[in-house]
Amino acid sequence: MHILVTGGAGYIGSHTSVVLLEAGHEVIIVDNLSNSKIETIDRIKQITKKELIFYQEDVTDEAAVDAIFSNHSFDGVIHFAGFKAVGESVEFPLKYYYNNTVSTMVLAKYCLKYGVKQFVFSSSATVYGENDVPFVETMELLPTTNPYGETKVISERILTDVAKANPDFAVSLLRYFNPVGAHESGLIGEDPQGIPNNLMPYITKVAKGKLEKLRIFGNDYPTPDGTGVRDYIHVMDLAEGHVAALEKLTPGVHVYNLGTGRGISVLELVKTFEEVNGVKVPYEIVGRRPGDIAESYADVSKAKAELGWTAKRGIREMCRDAWRYECGV
Ligand code: NAD
Ligand code: UFG
């Protein structure tokens, strides 16, 4: 298949492009490099020893998107492009609502114009809000605590309505849990600019001595050790989940959780990271971070039953590969 990968120079998009190319698909990436580097495109080629086409364009720019669609005959689109920093979305809501929802509408519009019928969308477990764990796809979505989360809810609704109005349009809404780790070559991974917001990149930078110590946000949650529980998923498993979703896509809207189904606490992750990599991660316990929930983990039975996909890599591999990438960059 010829697949347009938006945001393909970013963290999850680059790993998914590797898996797509290795599965024999043709990959066309469009990314404006607002949160990624051009080198990643060469790294994808280096890992796969395959060619791909890259456009440096903004997917909210209709003329640019129209031109890309007119140059190719796509079988499907995987839409990763978007902004993802929760805190920044509270400070600059319009920037987030605009980029994340307009990009979805523009891409859906040009899919319809050019007869592209398969659309895979990067959603997030954040859409479940404070539902009880494990999160199941059939749950009613509860309000998220930030504009970023709302952009995912709104994009899901937009795509659902587009599919209702166009019965041969096939949409897969993939709700990611917490992607971590890197390709095992160490050539691509997560490289956030400035001080990381997320736990794993913060841990690797503390272990490397680039940051002094980890601040653990709260140890008074109703969880086994009091720290927050999340469903961390290796980014390569997540990438493989996209290819499974794409290859099984049928008309209508399909929602899948992509996680491992297993919750890990902050302290468990820190201890495992130290043990696997033989390094120390100094930490202190501080107050809760506003907007955080106690627990988030997936019911993964639907993806297993319908896509034949399950996460294969465990928490030790996630820690090992995240550290390997940190040591290489
Ligand atoms: P990322 O920032 O590494 O990748 C996103 C890419 O999109 C970047 O390369 C950026 O330059 C590009 N981009 C942003 N806006 C664009 C635009 N208008 N036009 C063209 N390119 C644009 O982020 P990621 O972690 O790879 O996330 C990918 C997707 O998955 C995002 O939609 C994100 O919201 C979603 N998601 C991520 C997580 C996570 O924890 N990483 C969790 C749930 C969902
Ligand atoms: N944490 C710390 N210290 C840190 C960073 C995080 O203790 O420096 C804790 C958090 O309190 C939480 C856990 O580590 O308990 C994971 O935090 P992350 O920031 O790594 O991940 P979140 O689950 O908060 O958020 C992620 C994505 C969001 C997405 C959300 C739900 O970053 O984009 O999952 O899918 F919305």
Side-chain angles (χ1 to χ4, degrees):
M1 291 195 276
H2 286 69
I3 307 300
L4 178 65
V5 180
T6 79
Y11 175 43
I12 306 169
S14 58
H15 291 80
T16 304
S17 295
V18 165
V19 177
L20 283 166
L21 287 164
E22 285 177 343
H25 301 295
E26 299 288 331
V27 171
I28 298 89
I29 289 178
V30 55
D31 196 306
N32 63 2
L33 302 181
S34 58
N35 195 37
S36 50
K37 296 184 182 132
I38 188 70
E39 290 79 42
T40 303
I41 301 297
D42 292 325
R43 301 272 178 103
I44 297 169
K45 294 182 192 168
Q46 195 183 333
I47 291 169
T48 59
K49 300 189 178 57
K50 297 208 170 147
E51 281 307 312
L52 62 85
I53 294 171
F54 173 66
Y55 290 97
Q56 185 175 348
E57 295 288 358
D58 191 308
V59 292
T60 63
D61 176 343
E62 287 203 36
V65 170
D66 195 356
I68 293 170
F69 273 76
S70 70
N71 282 346
H72 300 272
S73 179
F74 298 126
D75 297 292
V77 173
I78 308 184
H79 179 30
F80 293 102
F83 296 144
K84 63 167 181 177
V86 172
E88 191 190 45
S89 80
V90 176
E91 205 177 340
F92 303 107
L94 283 176
K95 175 178 169 182
Y96 274 69
Y97 281 112
Y98 188 85
N99 196 44
N100 292 6
T101 65
V102 172
S103 60
T104 303
M105 289 189 277
V106 168
L107 288 160
K109 174 174 171 182
Y110 287 92
C111 279
L112 296 182
K113 177 174 173 187
Y114 287 92
V116 179
K117 297 194 173 61
Q118 304 204 316
F119 200 105
V120 176
F121 177 65
S122 295
S123 189
S124 166
T126 197
V127 301
Y128 290 110
E130 290 198 69
N131 267 294
D132 292 334
V133 284
F135 297 150
V136 188
E137 290 88 341
T138 48
M139 281 173 164
E140 192 186 333
L141 304 186
L142 297 180
T144 66
T145 51
N146 57 79
Y148 165 74
E150 294 305 303
T151 68
K152 294 296 173 191
V153 175
I154 295 168
S155 292
E156 285 199 5
R157 291 208 184 109
I158 292 168
L159 292 169
T160 301
D161 288 340
V162 172
K164 268 188 210 153
N166 298 274
D168 56 355
F169 199 53
V171 176
S172 199
L173 305 174
L174 303 182
R175 295 179 179 159
Y176 312 157
F177 282 70
N178 289 55
V180 295
H183 187 266
E184 63 169 18
S185 63
L187 287 170
I188 54 173
E190 187 174 18
D191 188 16
Q193 289 163 8
I195 297 176
N197 296 307
N198 296 115
L199 182 59
M200 185 65 101
Y202 209 105
I203 288 177
T204 61
K205 294 217 178 325
V206 170
K208 194 78 184 152
K210 292 180 180 166
L211 292 169
E212 193 197 338
K213 61 183 161 195
L214 172 69
R215 291 179 314 138
I216 295 183
F217 299 137
N219 66 350
D220 57 351
Y221 284 105
T223 60
D225 63 23
T227 65
V229 164
R230 296 289 183 276
D231 185 342
Y232 298 95
I233 173 171
H234 195 294
V235 66
M236 287 303 291
D237 277 321
L238 187 64
E240 288 165 11
H242 287 75
V243 181
L246 190 67
E247 290 176 349
K248 291 269 165 65
L249 203 47
T250 55
V253 180
H254 309 274
V255 187
Y256 297 105
N257 286 339
L258 297 184
T260 64
R262 184 163 171 238
I264 303 274
S265 76
V266 178
L267 278 174
E268 256 181 290
L269 187 68
V270 170
K271 297 282 171 239
T272 308
F273 189 92
E274 290 186 326
E275 194 191 303
V276 168
N277 297 314
V279 289
K280 280 273 159 231
V281 181
Y283 67 82
E284 65 174 329
I285 307 285
V286 300
R288 292 182 181 191
R289 183 171 63 177
D292 272 357
I293 56 174
E295 288 187 283
S296 163
Y297 56 89
D299 178 316
V300 291
S301 45
K302 189 176 176 203
K304 184 175 182 188
E306 294 188 11
L307 304 177
W309 170 90
T310 47
K312 296 197 282 283
R313 298 159 181 89
I315 197 77
R316 298 179 72 84
E317 284 150 296
M318 299 179 210
C319 290
R320 181 198 65 195
D321 293 340
W323 181 235
R324 186 184 287 135
Y325 181 68
E326 177 66 45
C327 292
V329 287

